[in-house]
């Protein structure tokens, strides 16, 4: 058996277990243990782990050293923590990862170029319910295999409720994801969709969610309203495969 311990201060460490490096240790679930940080070497030698769940903890930061030995990892769940930023190189060497869940953290702008470099196998990336207010042209560089990107926020999001809205997206921000099928951008404060917002080879995009928030209205607008959002002529010209727009 592979065993772990969490100290009174929330430090996660491995306490032993000869099975940690064996093929039988493929799924590690460490959710809801009030973890605040990960001790060096906690996952050392665990080269057969394919799924790691650290959800519902109090992690404020994650680094490359935390995950560098998890070379077979396919699923990484870090949702419902207190992560404020993800530095470039954090996921370096994790080339087998297919799904990353960073929902409901405190990640703020900007997402630095190189944050997701080398993650060509990732198909699903969720950044829902974070504090992101802008997306740069290189924020998602390296995610060539992504088919689903979720940047959804709450419909009644406000600073007092502890969430933020995306207000700007640089041209070509999604060009690094030629296989993107579903893009969720609901309930943000985008004022304009330019011709370059979705430019750069998003021909496979089928589902695009852009509905604006109800929170800025005195009365509820019709569901799926785009009121207040200016859409430039030709903004969707490169989206030949688009089937659903909300």
């Amino acid at each position: 058996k592979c065993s772990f311990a969490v100290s009174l201060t929330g430090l996660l460490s491995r306490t032993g277990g000869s099975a940690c490096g064996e093929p039988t240790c493929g799924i590690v679930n460490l959710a809801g243990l009030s973890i605040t940080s990960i001790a060096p070497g906690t996952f050392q030698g665990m080269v057969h782990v394919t799924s790691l769940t650290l959800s519902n903890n109090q992690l404020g930061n994650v680094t490359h050293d935390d995950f560098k030995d998890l070379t077979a990892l396919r699923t990484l769940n870090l949702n419902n923590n207190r992560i404020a930023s993800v530095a470039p190189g954090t996921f370096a060497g994790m080339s087998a990862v297919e799904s990353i869940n960073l929902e409901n953290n405190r990640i703020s702008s900007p997402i630095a170029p190189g944050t997701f470099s080398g993650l060509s196998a990732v198909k699903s990336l969720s950044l829902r319910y974070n504090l992101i207010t802008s997306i740069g042209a290189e924020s998602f560089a390296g995610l060539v295999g992504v088919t689903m990107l979720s940047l959804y926020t709450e419909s009644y999001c406000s600073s007092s409720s502890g969430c933020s809205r995306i207000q700007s997206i640089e041209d070509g921000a999604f060009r690094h994801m030629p296989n993107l099928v579903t893009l969720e951008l609901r309930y943000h404060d985008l004022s304009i969709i330019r011709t370059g917002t979705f430019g750069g080879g998003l021909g496979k995009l089928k589902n695009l969610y852009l509905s604006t928030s109800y929170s800025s209205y005195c009365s509820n607008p019709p569901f799926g309203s785009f009121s207040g959002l200016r859409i430039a002529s030709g903004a969707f010209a490169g989206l030949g495969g688009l089937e659903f727009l909300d």
Side-chain angles (χ1 to χ4, degrees):
K1 185 178 179 180
C2 191
S3 56
F4 299 86
V6 180
S7 72
L8 293 176
T9 60
L11 179 67
L12 173 70
S13 60
R14 195 168 83 210
T15 55
S18 59
C20 291
E22 298 298 321
T24 52
C25 187
I27 299 175
V28 177
N29 188 341
L30 297 166
L33 299 175
S34 299
I35 298 166
T36 59
S37 58
I38 302 171
T42 296
F43 300 117
Q44 184 175 356
M46 301 183 68
V47 296
H48 296 288
V49 173
T50 58
S51 176
L52 174 62
T53 297
L54 286 160
S55 309
N56 302 304
N57 282 295
Q58 298 174 31
L59 286 167
N61 184 44
V62 289
T63 70
H64 170 57
D65 287 339
D66 294 333
F67 308 122
K68 64 182 180 181
D69 293 295
L70 301 173
T71 54
L73 198 66
R74 294 183 180 275
T75 301
L76 178 60
N77 295 314
L78 292 165
N79 51 299
N80 299 305
N81 277 283
R82 300 177 179 180
I83 299 169
S85 64
V86 181
T90 297
F91 304 119
M94 299 169 65
S95 58
V97 171
E98 297 179 352
S99 175
I100 298 177
N101 187 346
L102 284 161
E103 289 182 16
N104 197 23
N105 276 285
R106 299 177 181 178
I107 299 170
S108 59
S109 301
I111 298 175
T115 297
F116 301 111
S117 62
L119 297 178
S120 59
V122 171
K123 294 179 174 61
S124 174
L125 173 62
S126 180
L127 287 160
R128 292 183 178 191
Y129 313 127
N130 274 282
L131 304 179
I132 300 168
T133 58
S134 63
I135 299 175
E138 301 298 320
S139 292
F140 300 118
L143 294 170
V144 296
V146 164
T147 60
M148 194 286 290
L149 174 63
S150 180
L151 291 157
Y152 195 98
T153 194
E154 297 179 18
S155 59
Y156 290 93
C157 172
S158 67
S159 57
S160 60
S161 66
C163 66
S164 299
R165 300 184 189 279
I166 295 171
Q167 299 175 2
S168 64
I169 300 175
E170 291 188 6
D171 288 354
F174 305 110
R175 73 185 189 282
H176 299 287
M177 295 179 281
N179 292 297
L180 194 62
V181 174
T182 299
L183 176 57
E184 296 183 341
L185 282 166
R186 272 184 178 173
Y187 305 130
H188 288 292
D189 280 340
L190 295 171
S191 60
I192 185 171
I193 302 296
R194 297 181 297 273
T195 54
T197 301
F198 301 116
L202 290 177
K204 294 184 179 180
L205 190 68
K206 292 183 178 181
N207 309 300
L208 178 58
Y209 297 86
L210 281 172
S211 299
T212 53
S213 174
Y214 294 178
S215 63
S216 60
Y217 297 90
C218 293
S219 60
N220 287 346
F223 181 76
S225 172
F226 292 94
S227 178
L229 177 62
R230 290 183 295 139
I231 300 176
S233 176
F236 304 129
L239 306 181
L242 196 63
E243 298 177 357
F244 182 84
L245 177 62
D246 179 17

